[in-house]
Amino acid sequence: METQRRPGGRSARVRAAVRQATLVEVTQRGYQGLTVENVAKRSGVHKTSIYRRWGGPEGLVADALELAATEPIPIPDTGTLAGDLRALTEAVRAGFASPQGGAIGSAFILAGMQNPAAAAAMQNFTAARRKQSVIVVDRAVERGELPATVDGDELIRFALAPIYYRIFVTHEPLTPDDATKAADAALAAARAGVL
Amino acid sequence: METQRRPGGRSARVRAAVRQATLVEVTQRGYQGLTVENVAKRSGVHKTSIYRRWGGPEGLVADALELAATEPIPIPDTGTLAGDLRALTEAVRAGFASPQGGAIGSAFILAGMQNPAAAAAMQNFTAARRKQSVIVVDRAVERGELPATVDGDELIRFALAPIYYRIFVTHEPLTPDDATKAADAALAAARAGVL
């Protein structure tokens, strides 16, 4: 008997429940505290089903990331690329500044650093998020703000990097001004033809 | 850590031995596998002395970072800021690409994300490293390559951020070209007056 995975069907509901439970567990206990047992309790899905389908904590995190990658994020449309990039970096800053966003971001990064499956999921997840965001660069090219030779993916990557660097590497304070500066610096590099 | 620290004295030798053992342990077992027991065995310093002076694994990592912060790093002097920044980012890329450098960097970042003392130590360590590197910006200002209003600390920070982002967050490949681009992008942003 083969499992049916109709969107919205039982399989999808089970997956959503397990993924939601994974996110809550990771937020409350961190990646190190994530266990199949607790995800089973919280989701109401049987432990053995979780082991069979997800393998263990690393599979749970990877799947949560895979599903999160498909979720649409709000894309700004301020009329200028500078405005759009600033809105993007500020949204990331504010997201990580919230207790839940900070805990989930931190757990995903920790998982990626400690487990190859989670690392691959992080690579896909961040690429998918950039792919959604790159529309602000495409629009700017259409408006004639930047030449079509610009690497939009790289521009978004460079706008975000200083945010992650401060929060997760150097543990320095991160203000809205820092988010603005990260956006402006990436844009200046793109305008100079570096990106 | 209320112990007296005479440079070159017994206390300094003990500290150096424990710090060296910490680095080796962290390289071989990662931050999660770092124990006072193993550091004691490897350093030849008694377990109870380590507990008394360093408290535990987080104190060991914080102290290793504190001592590492004072170590001089090679500072390039190529004659241009572009050349110096490229040499700096390439040195960081190559450092993390080596098995030992990658393991230590990863362990320090993991420790910083999981322990407040290690986070504070990471902030100090990265600031101290930037402070050593910022001389390349000072020289460029003296040569008239950039106005004195440039924020050298921020310029170095922005040159390094994309390197860490790729290695530890997105888990994307990192080539020497990527290191060059990170240096060039930060310099372009500084020239545009953003940094």
Side-chain angles (χ1 to χ4, degrees), chain A residues 32 106 110 112-114 122-123 126 130 154 157-158 162 164-166 168-172 181 185 194, chain B residues 32 106 110 112-114 122-123 126 130 154 157-158 162 164-166 168-172 181 185:
Chain A
Q32 295 309 323
S106 183
L110 285 173
M113 287 178 68
Q114 293 175 91
M122 274 298 283
Q123 190 175 336
T126 51
R130 283 197 309 275
E154 192 76 314
R157 191 186 280 110
F158 273 65
Y164 284 82
Y165 185 60
R166 274 184 177 268
F168 300 108
V169 178
T170 66
H171 303 281
E172 296 171 293
K181 205 189 284 185
V194 176
Chain B
Q32 295 309 324
S106 182
L110 285 173
M113 287 178 68
Q114 292 174 93
M122 274 298 283
Q123 189 176 339
T126 50
R130 283 198 309 275
E154 191 78 313
R157 191 185 279 111
F158 272 65
Y164 285 83
Y165 185 60
R166 272 184 178 270
F168 300 107
V169 178
T170 66
H171 303 279
E172 296 170 292
K181 205 189 284 184

Side-chain angles (χ1 to χ4, degrees), chain B residues 56-80:
Chain B
E58 61 279 10
L60 287 168
V61 166
D63 192 42
L65 277 165
E66 198 186 306
L67 216 54
T70 65
E71 285 194 341
I73 54 168
I75 301 299
D77 190 7
T78 64
T80 66

Side-chain angles (χ1 to χ4, degrees), chain A residues 15-149:
Chain A
R15 190 185 184 199
V18 168
R19 181 217 169 197
Q20 180 60 28
T22 299
L23 292 181
V24 174
E25 285 292 319
V26 142
T27 307
Q28 294 187 354
R29 299 173 212 257
Y31 173 62
Q32 295 309 323
L34 181 67
T35 65
V36 169
E37 191 111 339
N38 287 335
V39 170
K41 263 188 222 152
R42 190 177 290 278
S43 64
V45 175
H46 200 278
K47 210 167 64 169
T48 53
S49 306
I50 295 180
Y51 274 117
R52 198 170 51 236
R53 186 159 167 186
W54 282 274
E58 61 278 8
L60 288 168
V61 166
D63 192 44
L65 277 165
E66 197 186 308
L67 215 55
T70 64
E71 285 194 341
I73 54 169
I75 301 298
D77 191 6
T78 63
T80 67
L81 182 53
D84 288 352
L85 287 173
R86 287 178 175 193
L88 279 175
T89 56
E90 172 56 20
V92 171
R93 185 205 66 79
F96 285 136
S98 78
Q100 199 193 17
I104 289 181
S106 183
F108 283 166
I109 293 172
L110 285 173
M113 287 178 68
Q114 293 175 91
N115 178 274
M122 274 298 283
Q123 190 175 336
N124 292 337
F125 170 73
T126 51
R129 281 288 171 97
R130 283 197 309 275
K131 200 171 179 183
Q132 290 192 51
S133 307
V134 85
I135 188 170
V136 304
V137 184
D138 296 341
R139 282 197 212 115
V141 169
E142 280 166 31
R143 283 191 304 259
E145 278 194 67
L146 278 177
T149 49

Side-chain angles (χ1 to χ4, degrees), chain B residues 10-91:
Chain B
R10 187 174 175 279
S11 173
R13 285 198 305 278
V14 164
R15 191 187 184 197
V18 168
R19 181 217 168 197
Q20 181 59 28
T22 300
L23 292 181
V24 175
E25 284 292 320
V26 142
T27 307
Q28 295 187 353
R29 298 173 213 258
Y31 174 62
Q32 295 309 324
L34 181 68
T35 64
V36 169
E37 191 111 338
N38 288 336
V39 170
K41 264 187 223 152
R42 188 176 292 277
S43 65
V45 175
H46 201 278
K47 209 168 64 171
T48 52
S49 306
I50 296 181
Y51 275 117
R52 197 170 51 235
R53 185 161 167 185
W54 283 274
E58 61 279 10
L60 287 168
V61 166
D63 192 42
L65 277 165
E66 198 186 306
L67 216 54
T70 65
E71 285 194 341
I73 54 168
I75 301 299
D77 190 7
T78 64
T80 66
L81 182 53
D84 289 352
L85 287 173
R86 286 177 175 193
L88 278 176
T89 56
E90 172 56 20

